[in-house]
Amino acid sequence: MDIRQALNELGATPSAISEKNRRDLDENGFTILPGIIDGEWLEALRTRFEEICAREGAAAGMEVHQEKGTRRLSDLVNKGEVFDRVYAHPQVLACIYHVIARDFKLSSLNARDALPGEGLQGLHADWGADYDGQFHVCNSIWLLDDFSLENGCTRLVPGTHKGQHPRNALKDASAPHPDEEYLVAPAGTVAVFNSHTWHGGTKNTSENLQRRAMHCYYTAREHKQQLNQREYLRHETFKRISQAARYILDVDVE
C-alpha cells in the first residue's frame, strides 16, 4: 500500500475538500471545516476525554507533553474506538495531503484543555526551522467546546507558513501580533493548519469555561513521529482498524 491507495480507501480524494479550502491553505496557512463532528460523536468524545482525565490523573499526557495550567492527554489512538475516525477523517486527510504534498503519517493524537486563568502560549511553529521550500508538518484542531475570545481560543498569523520561524523573527512571541486572527468557532469544527504557520493558544480569561480540543498532527513520512505509534500500539487497536488506517499510523508491518 502507498499513500494514494490509503487515502483513496479512506475517501480522502481531492474532491473531499473545496477549492476554497485549498486556497486558504495555500494563502493563509489554515482552513476551517465546520460541522465535522456531529452531535452524537461530540458527546462521545467529550465523555471519553473526561474518563481518561479521571483515570490517569496526574499522569495524563505524560507520553508526549504535560503543561502547567492545562489538562493534557496523549496517545489517544490507543484510548478508545471513538478516536478511530479522527486521524482517518477524509476531509482532514485531504487537507493534510494538499499541504505536505507527499507521503505522510500521523505524528500524534493528543488533547488540551486550558483551565481558567491559564493557557497563554507564545506564537510558535511546529517545525523548528525557517521555510525551506517544502512543508514537513500539518496539524488539525478538533473543537470539543465552543472556542471564544474568553476561553482561550487559538490565534494564527496568516501567511507566515512561507517565512521565518517565529523565534528568528519575533522579539516577544507572547505579545499580540498585528496580523493575528482568532479561531472563534462552535464545537464540532475542525481547523486544519499548516504547522509552519505561527500559532498559539490564548489565555482562558473566563471563570468557568472549558476549552477542550484534540490536536491531530501529521508529519512527512521521512520524519520521526512525535509519539512512536509502533512502540505504543496496542494489539486491540491494530486488530480493530483497517489496513489504510494502519498505513496512516505507520504501524502496518506486513
Side-chain angles (χ1 to χ4, degrees):
M1 178 170 287
D2 59 23
I3 189 63
R4 291 182 181 274
Q5 183 180 353
L7 294 177
N8 283 335
E9 291 191 11
L10 293 169
T13 61
S15 62
I17 57 175
S18 69
E19 183 57 39
K20 184 180 186 304
N21 294 141
R22 287 185 279 270
R23 185 170 62 251
D24 286 346
L25 289 166
D26 291 342
E27 297 177 2
N28 296 327
F30 57 90
T31 193
I32 308 301
L33 304 174
I36 292 293
I37 315 172
D38 63 40
E40 182 178 356
W41 189 19
L42 181 62
E43 285 306 311
L45 288 166
R46 288 170 170 169
T47 297
R48 189 63 184 143
F49 182 106
E50 297 301 332
E51 289 173 347
I52 297 169
C53 284
R55 186 182 72 235
E56 297 187 354
M62 66 181 302
E63 300 97 333
V64 172
H65 179 61
Q66 293 180 311
E67 177 189 0
K68 179 183 177 296
T70 71
R71 297 192 297 170
R72 284 271 193 169
L73 300 177
S74 301
D75 188 30
L76 295 181
V77 165
N78 290 298
K79 295 181 180 178
E81 188 174 352
V82 70
F83 301 113
D84 292 352
R85 293 163 58 194
V86 176
Y87 60 85
H89 195 280
Q91 285 177 265
V92 173
L93 289 176
C95 288
I96 303 299
Y97 187 69
H98 180 78
V99 170
I100 296 179
R102 60 191 187 281
D103 203 348
F104 68 87
K105 59 190 174 185
L106 184 79
S107 187
S108 60
L109 178 55
N110 306 319
R112 179 178 186 264
D113 179 26
L115 302 176
E118 304 285 352
L120 178 63
Q121 296 176 319
L123 288 170
H124 61 279
D126 296 334
W127 184 251
D130 295 348
Y131 176 60
D132 63 5
Q134 61 179 348
F135 300 119
H136 302 274
V137 285
C138 191
N139 211 337
S140 58
I141 306 177
W142 294 63
L143 279 58
L144 302 186
D145 294 302
D146 296 344
F147 267 32
S148 67
L149 295 177
E150 292 74 32
N151 74 348
C153 68
T154 302
R155 58 178 175 149
L156 305 106
V157 184
T160 51
H161 54 302
K162 292 185 178 180
Q164 289 182 291
H165 191 279
R167 68 164 172 254
N168 298 327
L170 298 176
K171 291 183 178 179
D172 182 2
S174 296
H177 190 283
D179 299 323
E180 67 189 20
E181 295 184 7
Y182 296 93
L183 177 55
V184 174
T189 301
V190 175
V192 180
F193 64 98
N194 182 323
S195 297
H196 298 244
T197 306
W198 301 359
H199 64 281
T202 59
K203 183 178 179 179
N204 184 342
T205 59
S206 74
E207 294 185 359
N208 56 9
L209 294 177
Q210 291 184 294
R211 185 239 186 248
R212 292 167 294 185
M214 297 182 297
H215 301 158
C216 192
Y217 177 49
Y218 302 83
T219 184
R221 209 168 184 89
E222 67 265 24
H223 303 308
K224 291 182 179 180
Q225 295 163 313
Q226 187 178 49
L227 185 75
N228 187 316
Q229 300 298 325
R230 293 191 186 193
E231 179 182 339
Y232 280 84
L233 185 71
R234 299 178 186 177
H235 178 71
E236 60 266 28
T237 305
F238 182 85
K239 297 297 291 184
R240 183 178 67 237
I241 63 178
S242 68
Q243 186 179 4
R246 294 172 190 168
Y247 187 88
I248 297 299
L249 296 179
D250 194 22
V251 297
D252 197 340
V253 295
E254 298 177 359

